[in-house]
Amino acid sequence: MGKKDEGAAAASLLSAFPVVFDSPPVFPCSTAMADSAKDLQAVSAMTSPLSPRVPDSVTTLLATMANDDDTSGSGSPSPWADLPPELVVIVLRRLPTLADRVHLRAVCQAWRREPLPVPFPWLRLRNGTFLSVPDGEIHHFPSLGGDDDVFPTCGHGVFKLVQLGPSPLSPPAPRPTDSLYAAVGPSDISIFRPGPAAETARPRPKPKPTITTITITPKSERLYDAAFLDGKLYAISYKQLYIYDMADAIASCKNSNGKPPEIPPRTCIANLVDTRWTRSHVTIGDETFSCRDWSYLVESGGRLLRVRRLIVYPSTGPQLTMMEPLGFADQALFVGEHSKSVTASECGAREDCVYFVREYCREGCVLDLHPLGDSGVFDMRNGRITPLLPETVAKPTLDGNLRGRHATRTNSDPAATRHMHEPGPRVHAALLPRLAALYKSPGRVPARHACMVSRLAARVHKTEPEAEPPADGSG
Amino acid sequence: MEVDKGKGEAEETRKVAEADRDTVTLKSSDGKLFEVSKEAAARLSTVLAGMIAGGSIDDNGTDLKQIGSEALENVVDYCNKHANSIPSAALISSSISFNTAPFKEPEEWERKFVDRLSHDALFDLVEAANFLGMERLLDVTCHKISEMMKGKSPDQIREVFNIKNDYTKEELEEIRQELAWAFYDD
């Protein structure tokens, strides 16, 4: 893995809080490595106001760690600190949970030389808690609270937009405040500069970021997903793939006294309409079926991929297999409200797989009460979809929370507590009977389910992107 | 001419005999000799495979100056056990309950093999496996090491491995950022 990749990996670890499906908020020092001279970064990043608070116990622990006269390691010198770095990496990757990886790197300086491998992304459950998939632990971040505790327009993930301040060639590492972040929402983009870095570890008051919201699409159209590739912002709507020129917007955000930025110019570079597979219907052979469809845009290894997810109903519809084989080379895609690509061997995910989280119907209906619902894993090599989490591991409770070690922990933050006890979104009465057959089994992926990944653009940008392959289904 | 020819024949015979031998002799840094199945050595170690293919195997003991006798004994023991063990289809863990990568879990005998080692022996073995390019043995030993770390705090790991904390205050501040959430639930 190249240096840049390591940096990008570390930075993507910092992926933002206000997303349904993302990595836990961590600030490894190696983050700065991700910063390059490019204005736009193809990485997502955590913003400082969202860091969890440090409990007192940590401070105490760190105090004992700081004690130079620590004699716990007395006696004959141990060779373990001299473990070759390549072996430290193997051990790191053998540790499935982020907590264990962080602990290992905190042991001694030599063990910290290797960058923190990107962990298996955490799933953000709708009650504001996070699920660490490898060990099934549920983590609370009281200072993060619920959905309304964050930037209201950050629904589609936060990207590091531009690094201000010192040149990336001149260390020391820039602080998080030296960067601009962008959050792409359904119809606008919010560009913000986080508050002072010194505040990151404190619970409250939160540092106040400067937020500039720019409308990037007409009201009649909503954006499904956005991604950065080679310094350019891409976004997809139902019909089109757009590329945005953000230079002016960035310039005006850099100068906080500047005028509100104009709508950034955009160019449609591909037409995505597929008459055989629309938002509501899919044609297989001569038959047309009702379907529900979700589209995601993911940057993976210098390629821009569109992932489409399809659920066909009624459940008597055909079994679907839709896929275009793409050489993924150790990549796993995680798609949700904020899609991303990770190195599978690094985080312990299965390679050549698309992990998708439950999709809440945006209109307010929900398909079942299981917090993971229809989350599943699509294996691109054999076209099979399996549930992310077997029922035996996590049993749903009636209020839609997972039973976990920490699931019932008393939460000191009123906002988070409120969210914990909030029942799930109401089930849409009309849809339920139709979907009942599909979702009667919690945590199960419905059988009439398909996923398709197609390439929209590659690192060497083409004016004429590849035509999207037709939705091809077979029984 | 006759003599030369005979010499050539003898050379050839010797080479054939060498190729026919099914073991190789390895010599540790402290001069002890170990015999190991050639097939297993070539299959399990990329370095030994290269030496066997390249003919740089010494009948009187191939020098492995970086490896002590105790570690080499474990390596040879591992190779021989591996050669005799019935290949199991269950290399992929059956205990994975989440949809994560199917890590190659050690087999029962491999687990026992590393479990009986002292910490120092384990360290020497993992270094030897690294030096000899033994991917499987590296997997098994690193798995063992990771097992020893799982669920432990940095302090506890230091205690297990007898490592001194050598961080400066500035570095601790950085780590604090990482530990903030990691310790939250504890």
Side-chain angles (χ1 to χ4, degrees), chain B residues 9-20:
Chain B
E9 268 175 4
E11 180 83 355
E12 209 150 277
T13 321
R14 200 175 73 80
K15 270 188 177 167
V16 167
E18 207 173 85
D20 280 350

Side-chain angles (χ1 to χ4, degrees), chain A residues 1 9-10 92-93 101 116-120 330 343-349:
Chain A
M1 195 164 66
L92 266 174
R93 293 184 175 199
R101 290 177 176 190
L116 187 65
V118 172
F120 198 97
D330 198 20
T343 307
S345 63
E346 212 172 302
C347 75

Side-chain angles (χ1 to χ4, degrees), chain A residues 25-26 28-29 54 58 61-62 65-66 68 70 73-74 76 78-80 83 86-87 90 93-95 98-100 102-109 111-112 122 133 139-142 200 348-350 355 377 386-390 393 409, chain B residues 97-106 119-120 122-123 126-127 130 138-139 142-143 145-146 149-155 157-159 161-169 171-172 174-186:
Chain A
V26 180
C29 58
V54 181
V58 175
L61 175 88
L62 289 169
M65 286 165 68
D68 283 342
D70 183 7
S74 61
S76 58
S78 154
W80 286 98
L83 197 66
E86 65 267 28
L87 301 184
I90 298 177
R93 293 184 175 199
R94 276 273 174 183
L95 292 166
L98 182 55
D100 282 334
V102 168
H103 290 168
L104 183 155
R105 293 181 75 251
V107 166
C108 61
Q109 292 193 7
W111 287 10
R112 199 182 172 75
W122 287 10
V133 171
H139 298 263
H140 289 293
F141 290 102
T200 52
R350 287 164 53 195
Y355 287 72
V377 184
T386 46
L388 178 65
L389 208 60
V393 176
R409 181 181 287 257
Chain B
S97 38
F98 291 91
N99 228 323
T100 51
F103 269 127
K104 281 184 211 133
E105 295 283 325
H119 285 191
D120 284 349
L122 180 64
F123 182 84
V126 72
E127 282 214 312
N130 193 33
L138 259 186
D139 260 0
C142 286
H143 179 85
I145 297 169
S146 71
M149 293 178 177
K150 268 183 197 168
K152 290 198 170 71
S153 71
D155 271 341
I157 297 175
R158 282 188 207 107
E159 209 180 311
F161 293 98
N162 190 19
I163 294 172
K164 193 171 159 51
N165 179 20
D166 57 357
Y167 278 116
T168 64
K169 279 190 175 137
E171 288 161 333
L172 283 171
E174 271 175 20
I175 298 168
R176 177 210 285 275
Q177 297 290 343
E178 283 189 19
L179 292 182
W181 69 271
F183 279 108
Y184 188 75
D185 282 330
D186 291 336

Side-chain angles (χ1 to χ4, degrees), chain B residues 13-169:
Chain B
T13 321
R14 200 175 73 80
K15 270 188 177 167
V16 167
E18 207 173 85
D20 280 350
R21 277 190 62 194
D22 57 0
T23 61
V24 288
T25 309
L26 305 174
K27 195 184 199 175
S28 69
S29 60
D30 43 352
K32 288 195 183 162
L33 297 177
F34 298 92
E35 290 252 315
V36 62
S37 145
K38 187 185 270 182
E39 184 276 327
R43 182 161 46 88
L44 296 169
S45 158
T46 53
V47 170
L48 292 180
M51 289 169 96
I52 291 166
S56 54
I57 286 288
D58 188 340
D59 257 355
N60 300 319
T62 305
D63 264 335
L64 297 172
K65 290 202 169 65
Q66 290 81 354
I67 305 176
S69 58
E70 196 192 344
L72 192 56
E73 187 178 352
N74 281 324
V75 166
V76 166
D77 197 13
Y78 176 82
C79 287
N80 289 336
K81 276 189 172 142
H82 208 284
N84 296 332
S85 79
I86 303 153
S88 153
L91 278 182
I92 287 169
S93 163
S94 54
S95 66
I96 296 289
S97 38
F98 291 91
N99 228 323
T100 51
F103 269 127
K104 281 184 211 133
E105 295 283 325
E107 291 189 58
E108 190 54 37
W109 72 267
E110 288 175 314
R111 218 181 272 273
K112 283 182 183 153
F113 182 81
V114 290
D115 278 351
R116 65 183 174 83
L117 299 174
S118 71
H119 285 191
D120 284 349
L122 180 64
F123 182 84
D124 292 342
L125 182 59
V126 72
E127 282 214 312
N130 193 33
F131 175 73
L132 291 171
M134 301 178 72
E135 198 189 332
R136 178 71 197 167
L137 183 56
L138 259 186
D139 260 0
V140 173
T141 44
C142 286
H143 179 85
K144 169 69 183 168
I145 297 169
S146 71
E147 289 286 322
M148 291 158 73
M149 293 178 177
K150 268 183 197 168
K152 290 198 170 71
S153 71
D155 271 341
Q156 288 168 325
I157 297 175
R158 282 188 207 107
E159 209 180 311
V160 168
F161 293 98
N162 190 19
I163 294 172
K164 193 171 159 51
N165 179 20
D166 57 357
Y167 278 116
T168 64
K169 279 190 175 137

